[in-house]
Amino acid sequence: MSKITMKFINIVLFSFFIHLTNGDTKKTSMNEDLNRACIIRFLQIRGKLDEQIQVSPAPADMCRILLPLVYANHSERLCLRLWETKSIKAECVFETLKKFEFVDLELKQEIITKLKSIPKGDKRKILHEVTVAQREALTRTAKMCKSDFTYGGLFDEILGINSSLIALQREYCLLKYALENKFLDLRYININPRNIDVRNIECTSIIVQSQDESEEKLLEAFKSRKYSSDAINCLIEKYKDERIFGWNLAKDFLYKIKISENEKRAEDWRISKKLSDFNKISSNCLYSFNWSLFQFK
Ligand SMILES: *[C@@H]1O[C@H](CO)[C@@H](O)[C@H](O)[C@H]1NC(C)=O
Ligand SMILES: *[C@@H]1O[C@H](CO)[C@@H](O)[C@H](O)[C@H]1NC(C)=O
Ligand SMILES: *[C@@H]1O[C@H](CO)[C@@H](O)[C@H](O)[C@H]1NC(C)=O
């Protein structure tokens, strides 16, 4: 059978199942049972699920058609969620999660949650194992892709974190740093407007991590412009010498914090001057390395 015919049959069957789903509830549950049986069989074949678990027979022909649909549906939703979250490096994260078979874990979680035939204690144990595996996959993926490890809040439950609290802690530390180092020369600023508990925050490591991230981004931007390594080293060195991380931070915060228009204008002038001076200084890196500014290969 040709590929196109197969595709057409898939579409017809797909519509048939959707029709069933929209039809009466008895048929819907039949359809769901079949879906579930297929997923269980699939996970068992991949060694992801105990062979003991079985609800109803999974007819191979039906499953061959159903599974790709279910799978595509899950992948697609995962993909969309990742792409809709700004802080995530979606492309790398999606590909890496695929390698860790993250969708399998999601399917398993869904199946186990719904199955009534498993004793409560066992269920809890299996679900815990799934969560641990998911957490491991997410953590390793964020590291490999150098992507936001909080996933912008998408997987808080799995990761066991409160991403909005982490974001507030980060804001608190960065603003405190900008003020203490006079990147922002302001007094009487409330650095904890949301009144979070700040007793146990490790600001130093948050600042260092934030600095590393911004240097990483800069490095990537320079590399994508194919600057030579001499030019890049020079630029990064100047960036550190002139403490541009702090000045950029100040510029960002200037429009977030509540201060008078006069203060804002004065600070903006001071900060913008620093940044434009840096632009001049850093352009020397490019001119003085005129032979090596771009790599020829
Ligand atoms: C895809 O997933 C959504 C959300 O769980 C579900 O409502 C929908 O029925 C699924 N579609 C198919 C074809 O399985
Ligand atoms: C997360 O932290 C925020 C800020 O402290 C808080 O308002 C929110 O209730 C927390 N969410 C959970 C689920 O704990
Ligand atoms: C820059 O280019 C000029 C002439 O093209 C050359 O004389 C000079 O040595 C170069 N400077 C560096 C640092 O390579």
Side-chain angles (χ1 to χ4, degrees):
M1 212 175 335
S2 79
K3 260 198 175 137
I4 291 173
T5 324
M6 257 324 274
K7 209 160 211 166
F8 178 70
I9 290 176
N10 272 355
I11 289 167
V12 170
L13 278 166
F14 189 39
S15 324
F16 171 67
F17 286 119
I18 285 176
H19 183 71
L20 280 182
T21 314
N22 294 335
D24 65 68
T25 46
K26 206 172 197 175
K27 279 182 189 164
T28 304
S29 78
M30 233 178 69
N31 182 26
E32 265 180 19
D33 284 349
L34 186 58
N35 253 343
R36 195 174 300 168
C38 288
I39 294 172
I40 288 174
R41 197 65 212 122
F42 168 77
L43 290 173
Q44 283 169 337
I45 288 168
R46 282 161 78 95
K48 299 275 167 60
L49 201 61
D50 195 333
E51 289 284 343
Q52 303 289 315
I53 296 170
Q54 188 50 286
V55 274
S56 48
D61 286 352
M62 278 302 213
C63 289
R64 229 193 325 274
I65 295 162
L66 264 177
L67 268 175
L69 297 177
V70 174
Y71 217 79
N73 194 19
H74 264 80
S75 294
E76 201 171 300
R77 262 185 295 142
L78 175 65
C79 191
L80 275 178
R81 281 189 291 164
L82 295 174
W83 250 276
E84 279 166 1
T85 310
K86 257 201 201 131
S87 62
I88 299 177
K89 291 188 187 161
E91 194 152 341
C92 173
V93 166
F94 184 66
E95 288 305 318
T96 312
L97 283 179
K98 239 167 48 183
K99 277 188 209 125
F100 286 127
E101 298 176 337
F102 192 76
V103 171
D104 287 19
L105 292 168
E106 285 195 320
L107 285 174
K108 181 167 175 178
Q109 195 241 10
E110 199 178 296
I111 286 292
I112 297 292
T113 306
K114 282 183 187 161
L115 269 187
K116 294 198 181 78
S117 57
I118 309 176
K120 267 217 177 92
D122 291 355
K123 198 178 248 196
R124 212 174 308 124
K125 185 167 158 279
I126 300 173
L127 286 176
H128 177 72
E129 286 165 5
V130 173
T131 306
V132 169
Q134 283 177 314
R135 188 178 303 168
E136 163 101 10
L138 289 170
T139 310
R140 288 176 65 186
T141 298
K143 203 179 263 175
M144 284 165 75
C145 294
K146 294 199 172 107
S147 175
D148 170 20
F149 73 100
T150 71
Y151 285 85
L154 273 190
F155 302 110
D156 274 8
E157 212 168 307
I158 295 171
L159 293 169
I161 60 169
N162 180 344
S163 59
S164 54
L165 182 59
I166 291 177
L168 289 174
Q169 290 174 339
R170 193 180 144 103
E171 289 269 296
Y172 164 82
C173 290
L174 291 174
L175 180 55
K176 188 160 165 276
Y177 171 83
L179 288 165
E180 281 175 356
N181 292 282
K182 298 268 183 261
F183 294 114
L184 277 173
D185 197 4
L186 299 165
R187 258 160 290 175
Y188 315 117
I189 300 289
N190 179 5
I191 56 173
N192 187 9
R194 294 282 299 272
N195 246 327
I196 56 170
D197 183 357
V198 295
R199 279 169 302 183
N200 296 315
I201 306 180
E202 283 279 338
C203 274
T204 311
S205 62
I206 291 177
I207 302 291
V208 169
Q209 192 196 347
S210 195
Q211 277 170 330
D212 287 350
E213 275 169 19
S214 73
E215 272 168 38
E216 188 77 39
K217 259 189 221 157
L218 206 60
L219 207 57
E220 256 168 46
F222 292 154
K223 279 184 185 157
S224 74
R225 286 181 213 165
K226 300 228 180 327
Y227 290 174
S228 71
S229 51
D230 279 345
I232 291 177
N233 289 341
C234 172
L235 285 166
I236 295 278
E237 198 175 307
K238 290 272 186 295
Y239 175 84
K240 285 184 184 166
D241 286 351
E242 300 300 318
R243 307 199 297 161
I244 298 306
F245 170 77
W247 293 112
N248 274 334
L249 209 57
K251 183 102 184 171
D252 284 346
F253 272 119
L254 199 54
Y255 291 90
K256 282 190 204 160
I257 52 181
K258 279 191 192 135
I259 47 172
S260 72
E261 280 304 315
N262 276 341
E263 277 179 308
K264 195 174 283 183
R265 212 168 306 127
E267 282 297 276
D268 194 11
W269 190 84
R270 200 173 61 88
I271 296 165
S272 299
K273 172 135 183 12
K274 288 283 179 190
L275 289 172
S276 79
D277 285 352
F278 168 69
N279 280 341
K280 274 178 224 148
I281 296 168
S282 64
S283 60
N284 286 338
C285 284
L286 302 183
Y287 295 133
S288 61
F289 289 102
N290 55 357
W291 288 107
S292 57
L293 173 54
F294 295 105
Q295 272 160 344
F296 300 103
K297 273 189 184 156

